Amino acid sequence: MKFKFLLLLLLSLFVIVGCNPTNTDVSSGGEDDTETETETETETETGGDDPEEVNLQLWHIEDGPSGEAVQAAVDRFEEANPGVSVEVSKQENDPYKSKLVVAMGGGNPPDVFHSWGGGWLEQFVQAGQVKEITNDIDQDIYVEAALSASTYDGKVYGAPVSMAVVPVFYNKEIFEEYNLEEPETYEDLLAIVETLDSNGIIPFSLANQSKWTGSFYLMYLAERIGGPDLFSEAFNRTGRGFDDEAYIEAGHKLQELVKMNAFPEGVNGMNYDTGQSRQLVYSGKAAMELMGNWYVNNVREEMPDFEEKLGFFLMPAIEGGQGEKNHVVGGVAPVFSVAETSDHKDLATELVKELASVATATDMANNAGDVSALIGVEYKDPYVQEIAAVLENSEFMQTYYDQTLPPELATVHLDTTQALFGLSMTPEEAMAEVEAKAKELLD
């Protein structure tokens, strides 16, 4: 009897010891406990032996080959992170801006989102809605000027993929037919406008419902007249303002083009996103379009045969002005950032790193006509080689006003510029309104 009791006692002890794992003294704070907790967190985030199913949301506006490059980056990320899926939402440019503002305000933005850096991203940074990634990315792989677009007070909040420049694209066949050459001066450009209009061809195709498309003209004219410091002085409140004579003269030159029939009828009601302006160029009804180098991507997606007709030149200098022909309007996009409200910020940051990688930048450069924001990309696309050379030879880049200015001021700039195209405001009225808002927000 005593033997049976001892046997039962030993069996009970064996069961208790066997069910109790070793090294589980939570209060000890030992090395083994740290490793166990770290392993559990890693398995949850990256998909270990028993991964939690994680879904990330990505919003962007890239289409055509650029969109395909984004999807390829997502595919690489998902392959490297089993158990993690990315829900990709591709949206049109203008609706996207409003939708993201609403999502941010409502506290339910996507985990990763597209931006242009500058003032547009900064509004979310200042509201504490964007994760800082200064120490999460290798800053040395990015072009310094590109990374600066998403750096505020020395802290990085977004990773750039591409850079852009805004030249004048033109139909080489039309230029040859009317014996036109790329203009060396602004007077040469006005002569081209007159020749094309007299022959029933729209000189500049423009769809200005979005407003940012028409802003390119005012930016270039103002820089060519007032020089590279004009905008920075007005923006930083260190000299000339947005009502400076250079801005007023730029407005008059813009309206001079309108009165010369340089643009399509109903220009302020035409939609760029749906391709209305490009269709005029494809059909031969219009000869030129001032647009970012993503235009090449649009052509390859919509009318690939037209690419052989496509040439480009930079806006020429204006006699007596302070700007030069090798000064360009341009920017950085896409820039990918992580929302501070994301439930999986570490994974979302890894997705950003894949989206803003050399592999993605190379894909966009050679298939979508983008200039890389990352160092080490080899260009195979002849258009990109030419555009990259333009950027390399440029002495100054004026970043997009609507992405650099605070959103409220950018809206006034865009609205008044559109009104200049519609001849519903004088340049003096338009610039006074912009300057008044600048004093309210920036002084």
Side-chain angles (χ1 to χ4, degrees):
M1 190 71 177
K2 188 175 180 180
F3 174 79
K4 289 183 178 179
F5 174 80
L6 290 173
L7 180 61
L8 287 172
L9 180 61
L10 288 171
L11 286 172
S12 298
L13 289 172
F14 177 80
V15 170
I16 292 171
V17 173
C19 292
N20 188 30
T22 58
N23 299 321
T24 56
D25 183 2
V26 178
S27 63
S28 69
E31 196 171 300
D32 291 332
D33 298 323
T34 303
E35 290 176 359
T36 302
E37 290 170 7
T38 303
E39 288 167 5
T40 302
E41 182 181 348
T42 303
E43 288 176 4
T44 301
E45 282 288 281
T46 61
D49 294 335
D50 187 20
E52 173 190 346
E53 289 295 325
V54 174
N55 179 260
L56 299 176
Q57 283 191 318
L58 164 64
W59 288 6
H60 72 90
I61 66 167
E62 303 299 323
D63 56 12
S66 291
E68 292 170 6
V70 170
Q71 186 59 56
V74 169
D75 292 343
R76 292 193 300 271
F77 172 79
E78 289 181 331
E79 184 177 353
N81 294 274
V84 182
S85 61
V86 181
E87 181 182 338
V88 181
S89 177
K90 186 271 168 188
Q91 304 177 34
E92 288 189 355
N93 181 73
D94 294 310
Y96 167 75
K97 294 178 181 178
S98 300
K99 185 175 180 180
L100 186 62
V101 169
V102 171
M104 284 290 191
N108 59 343
D111 300 274
V112 176
F113 63 94
H114 171 294
S115 86
W116 303 263
W120 198 83
L121 177 61
E122 188 175 14
Q123 64 178 319
F124 302 126
V125 171
Q126 291 180 343
Q129 296 167 326
V130 186
K131 181 194 175 200
E132 181 194 343
I133 58 172
T134 308
N135 298 320
D136 297 313
I137 63 171
D138 180 2
Q139 297 184 40
D140 292 336
I141 69 173
Y142 298 98
V143 175
E144 185 176 352
L147 193 62
S148 67
S150 54
T151 302
Y152 312 97
D153 296 326
K155 298 177 181 179
V156 181
Y157 291 88
V161 184
S162 302
M163 302 172 68
V165 62
V166 180
V168 177
F169 287 97
Y170 70 97
N171 184 326
K172 292 188 288 188
E173 283 190 354
I174 291 178
F175 269 50
E176 290 173 6
E177 181 177 354
Y178 295 102
N179 297 314
L180 301 173
E181 296 182 355
E182 295 180 1
E184 292 296 324
T185 68
Y186 188 71
E187 290 302 317
D188 291 342
L189 182 63
L190 293 182
I192 290 172
V193 169
E194 290 178 346
T195 298
L196 293 169
D197 179 57
S198 66
N199 285 280
I201 296 173
I202 301 167
F204 284 101
S205 192
L206 172 64
N208 198 35
Q209 185 183 76
S210 303
K211 304 175 187 176
W212 59 268
T213 49
S215 173
F216 291 153
Y217 289 86
L218 185 66
M219 282 189 278
Y220 261 125
L221 291 170
E223 194 283 330
R224 293 298 188 259
I225 296 166
D229 295 329
L230 175 65
F231 175 80
S232 62
E233 288 180 21
F235 179 44
N236 295 311
R237 317 307 290 162
T238 57
R240 292 170 290 180
F242 288 105
D243 59 351
D244 185 77
E245 185 57 37
Y247 274 115
I248 293 173
E249 186 180 346
H252 280 295
K253 287 193 177 297
L254 191 157
Q255 291 193 328
E256 178 186 26
L257 289 171
V258 173
K259 294 170 183 176
M260 291 176 67
N261 299 319
F263 307 106
E265 289 187 18
V267 63
N268 283 342
M270 295 173 62
N271 190 313
Y272 179 81
D273 285 341
T274 59
Q276 285 185 287
S277 60
R278 297 188 296 280
Q279 289 301 324
L280 292 176
V281 176
Y282 299 155
S283 64
K285 294 179 180 179
M288 300 180 287
E289 186 159 7
L290 181 64
M291 188 49 59
N293 55 269
W294 56 82
Y295 197 78
V296 177
N297 182 20
N298 293 139
V299 170
R300 289 170 175 170
E301 176 74 9
E302 299 165 346
M303 190 68 65
D305 291 343
F306 188 79
E307 185 176 348
E308 63 184 22
K309 303 179 184 179
L310 198 63
F312 73 86
F313 58 85
L314 291 179
M315 181 70 73
I318 295 175
E319 185 177 358
Q322 299 177 43
E324 301 293 341
K325 186 178 179 181
N326 68 347
H327 296 177
V328 299
V329 168
V332 181
V335 174
F336 288 106
S337 300
V338 176
E340 186 62 47
T341 56
S342 171
D343 292 331
H344 306 284
K345 286 196 283 287
D346 289 345
L347 271 175
T349 302
E350 291 303 311
L351 175 57
V352 164
K353 290 163 68 174
E354 187 60 61
L355 288 166
S357 64
V358 171
T360 306
T362 301
D363 199 350
M364 285 192 175
N366 293 323
N367 296 311
D370 293 345
V371 178
S372 174
L374 288 93
I375 299 167
V377 170
E378 295 185 9
Y379 298 115
K380 298 178 182 178
D381 188 303
Y383 265 110
V384 183
Q385 288 177 346
E386 288 184 59
I387 293 169
V390 167
L391 279 172
E392 289 172 6
N393 295 323
S394 174
E395 296 178 354
F396 171 74
M397 175 187 280
Q398 174 58 64
T399 56
Y400 312 128
Y401 283 14
D402 60 325
Q403 305 304 344
T404 305
L405 295 170
E408 194 174 346
L409 181 55
T411 296
V412 176
H413 156 68
L414 292 173
D415 288 345
T416 54
T417 302
Q418 188 184 58
L420 290 175
F421 277 96
L423 304 179
S424 60
M425 292 184 80
T426 67
E428 290 80 4
E429 291 169 338
M431 303 314 163
E433 189 169 324
V434 176
E435 176 62 15
K437 180 58 70 172
K439 286 181 177 178
E440 177 187 327
L441 297 175
L442 303 177
D443 282 352

